[in-house]
Amino acid sequence: MNQSEQAVGVIERLIEQGDLKPGSMVSERGLMDLTGLGRTPVREAIQRLALNHMLRIHPNKGIEIPAISVEDQLSGLEVRRAVEVLAVELACSRATEKDIAAIAALKTTLAGDFGLHDYSDTIRQTHALIIQAAHNPYLEALMVPLQTLSRRFWIMHVRDEQAEITHGKRLHQDILQAILARDTAQAGAASLALNAYLVEFALSVVARMTSPRG
């Protein structure tokens, strides 16, 4: 991983976990300080993340961390639904023995207890392993920004952390188990179940927002 990729990864994580607040402005120098990396890799990361709608560049003003609305989340999930089914189906047929070993180990890890941020990190690893096992270089560019923004929305709005983590863990374990079994149909169904949960979660946010109690 070169320094530009390192910068992308660090900034993505800061956005996902809310360390860079939605609607806030940050400078190139500020991102250099946060990542511990130089101007060139940070500048390259900013350009890449802006293309993926994770940052918004305002010339002479700074860099905005865009807010994500329920509508944005639902639009992203529409795209994720199709792309992730493709990814898990490809992983079923293309995963190497090395991929399978890593997926099995992560499925075991998912059985453990997690706080919110550790869970988020583990789910990021889960998605990365699925992308890797699919062995299609175009999937990462499509999936990572959508997944990162989706996780940020979930982190921002989750209330009962342990209940949601428990449910999310089971859904991800189902996907991994299907890939381990190389069961394409089950992997696709498990991926759709995860997407349906995320849609339901987003709609529950709408319901809370419109409820008299908030």
Side-chain angles (χ1 to χ4, degrees):
M1 182 183 293
N2 62 36
Q3 287 195 335
S4 175
E5 291 168 338
Q6 289 178 43
V8 169
V10 173
I11 296 169
E12 280 179 345
R13 190 175 186 277
L14 292 169
I15 292 171
E16 175 185 321
Q17 299 199 344
D19 298 298
L20 292 173
K21 302 295 184 186
S24 67
M25 299 291 290
V26 66
S27 66
E28 185 179 275
R29 168 54 63 183
L31 291 176
M32 289 168 60
D33 292 340
L34 287 170
T35 61
L37 296 167
R39 184 177 303 278
T40 298
V42 167
R43 186 167 289 174
E44 290 173 354
I46 290 168
Q47 295 298 326
R48 286 172 59 180
L49 292 168
L51 287 173
N52 292 332
H53 308 287
M54 296 182 68
L55 298 175
R56 190 173 294 133
I57 301 170
H58 297 278
N60 304 317
K61 292 183 179 179
I63 301 154
E64 180 185 358
I65 311 301
I68 180 168
S69 65
V70 174
E71 291 78 9
D72 292 333
Q73 174 75 338
L74 291 172
S75 294
L77 289 172
E78 285 183 352
V79 179
R80 278 188 63 175
R81 184 180 300 119
V83 176
E84 289 183 353
V85 167
L86 173 62
V88 299
E89 290 177 347
L90 290 176
C92 285
S93 61
R94 296 180 178 178
T96 65
E97 290 306 310
K98 183 178 178 181
D99 295 329
I100 290 295
I103 289 169
L106 191 55
K107 180 175 178 286
T108 300
T109 298
L110 270 171
D113 296 325
F114 295 94
L116 188 61
H117 285 180
D118 286 341
Y119 173 70
S120 174
D121 286 339
T122 305
I123 294 307
R124 188 186 305 107
Q125 294 171 38
T126 301
H127 291 154
L129 279 182
I130 293 169
I131 292 168
Q132 176 181 301
H135 294 281
N136 184 309
Y138 294 99
L139 281 173
E140 183 174 7
L142 285 171
M143 291 173 64
V144 171
L146 289 169
Q147 291 168 339
T148 300
L149 291 172
S150 179
R151 282 193 298 273
R152 181 180 69 159
F153 180 92
W154 185 86
I155 289 169
M156 284 172 55
H157 294 287
V158 70
R159 288 194 172 179
D160 189 340
E161 292 182 10
Q162 286 308 310
E164 299 291 355
I165 287 171
T166 298
H167 189 53
K169 280 166 49 176
R170 180 181 61 76
L171 292 168
H172 284 91
Q173 285 177 305
D174 288 347
I175 294 171
L176 296 182
Q177 180 56 44
I179 294 172
L180 291 173
R182 297 190 184 274
D183 187 332
T184 302
Q186 188 57 42
S191 180
L192 290 173
L194 173 62
N195 193 277
Y197 158 70
L198 293 172
V199 169
E200 183 180 349
F201 180 89
L203 294 176
S204 74
V205 173
V206 176
R208 290 204 306 258
M209 289 177 173
T210 56
S211 168
R213 300 185 204 174

